[in-house]
Amino acid sequence: MPGCAGVALYHTERIGAMQAFAAGEAFFEKIDTAVTGTSYYELLEHGDHEGDHDLVETSPEQLRAKIGTGEAEAFWMYSQQRGTLPWDAAFTYHTSGYGGFPHIAAFCDSPLEDTYSVLKEWLRHMAEQFTFPYAIIYEARKMTDAMSYAAGDNGKTAFPYEKAFAFNKETPGLYGGQARYTGSKLRMVYPANVLNGEHLNIGIAGTNLENWIQSSHDHGILYRVGEERWMWEVAPAKLEQVNQICGEAGALIAWQPRQSKKPRRKLP
């Protein structure tokens, strides 16, 4: 089944808009795709509610200029060449304004297995260059699902053993969540996870997460990618088992046991 690969970096308030714009350009260069359009968030002067906003279409050159003057803060960059909707690839930078919370996300309308290595390389470069507490690489069924998943919107899930809306309730800003995924818990376990030192001390199976990962190849591999940041990679075939162990240990925000299907009653 076709899929869409996504990368999400959380609590990126230390990354400025112009730095994010350069990171977006690097993302499109990494996946060898041209930026065909951009847009930025603008507050509505006569909106129905405080914080109501709209997306204003502009060119990449104009967006860069507006970021430089402070007219644009949160924005989108995208590529639409095959005629697919919404896009073939996209990059977005969000702030704490416009009802959201600080995060960066990038999407590529291709199965994760086809793009994993380049996305991991881009994410690793981000971790080496910038400071943020948590990031993930995941796969969704389609582009719109991947976009919703990054922000925790619309109850989208990446796994059949994941609770819808659980992450949404953890996010700050509009939902006033505790954002425990920045240190004391994880959202879920993904093929690639950027963690910080607090994450590594989460309790798992009588030890901490760092020791548990390193105790078996089945638990993935862990290596440093930045100052006080580590990359944890888990093989796709091991994800369900690793999520179950971490979920049962109370380390995951959105994990839930698989729902067993009750056999249908046969009519007499």
Side-chain angles (χ1 to χ4, degrees), residues 18-248:
M18 191 62 79
Q19 292 173 313
F21 184 85
E25 289 183 315
F27 166 72
F28 284 97
E29 182 178 347
K30 181 65 68 176
I31 63 172
D32 195 24
T33 301
V35 177
T36 62
T38 61
S39 59
Y40 64 93
Y41 288 89
E42 183 177 72
L43 291 173
L44 294 176
E45 189 174 345
H46 302 292
D48 294 332
H49 306 91
E50 184 179 353
D52 282 354
H53 56 273
D54 201 357
L55 274 172
V56 180
E57 292 287 332
T58 188
S59 69
E61 296 76 17
Q62 290 173 327
L63 177 59
R64 184 198 297 271
K66 287 184 177 295
I67 291 173
T69 60
E71 296 177 74
E73 295 179 346
F75 60 86
W76 285 85
M77 307 168 71
Y78 55 86
S79 177
Q80 188 172 38
Q81 301 183 69
R82 296 179 297 177
T84 55
L85 293 175
W87 301 306
D88 303 312
F91 173 92
T92 185
Y93 172 75
H94 290 264
T95 65
S96 57
Y98 312 102
F101 65 102
H103 69 279
I104 287 174
F107 316 98
C108 187
D109 193 22
S110 301
L112 182 57
E113 63 180 351
D114 296 343
T115 56
Y116 179 75
S117 60
V118 293
L119 294 182
K120 183 183 70 172
E121 187 178 344
W122 177 78
L123 178 57
R124 179 170 183 164
H125 178 72
M126 292 291 289
E128 291 170 345
Q129 188 175 6
F130 301 113
T131 299
F132 52 89
Y134 185 48
I136 60 175
I137 295 179
Y138 62 95
E139 185 172 39
R141 189 169 61 89
K142 56 185 180 180
M143 177 71 81
T144 50
D145 290 349
M147 291 161 57
S148 293
Y149 191 80
D153 293 336
N154 301 319
K156 298 301 180 182
T157 60
F159 305 104
Y161 41 88
E162 181 176 4
K163 189 184 305 181
F165 298 107
F167 178 73
N168 178 278
K169 295 175 182 177
E170 280 287 326
T171 60
L174 181 63
Y175 300 101
Q178 301 178 59
R180 290 176 294 174
Y181 51 86
T182 60
S184 62
K185 287 183 180 289
L186 304 173
R187 181 178 184 177
M188 293 286 285
V189 181
Y190 302 88
N193 314 261
V194 172
L195 313 178
N196 61 59
E198 188 177 353
H199 287 130
L200 298 186
N201 284 318
I202 294 173
I204 300 287
T207 183
N208 63 28
L209 181 60
E210 179 179 14
N211 291 333
W212 182 79
I213 295 170
Q214 295 174 339
S215 69
S216 171
H217 290 299
D218 287 346
H219 303 162
I221 58 172
L222 183 73
Y223 51 94
R224 187 183 292 270
V225 292
E227 185 178 350
E228 288 300 308
R229 275 182 306 286
W230 290 260
M231 181 84 79
W232 178 22
E233 293 188 71
V234 180
K238 301 297 182 182
L239 278 173
E240 182 168 0
Q241 177 188 19
V242 170
N243 270 289
Q244 180 173 346
I245 294 170
C246 292
E248 290 177 346

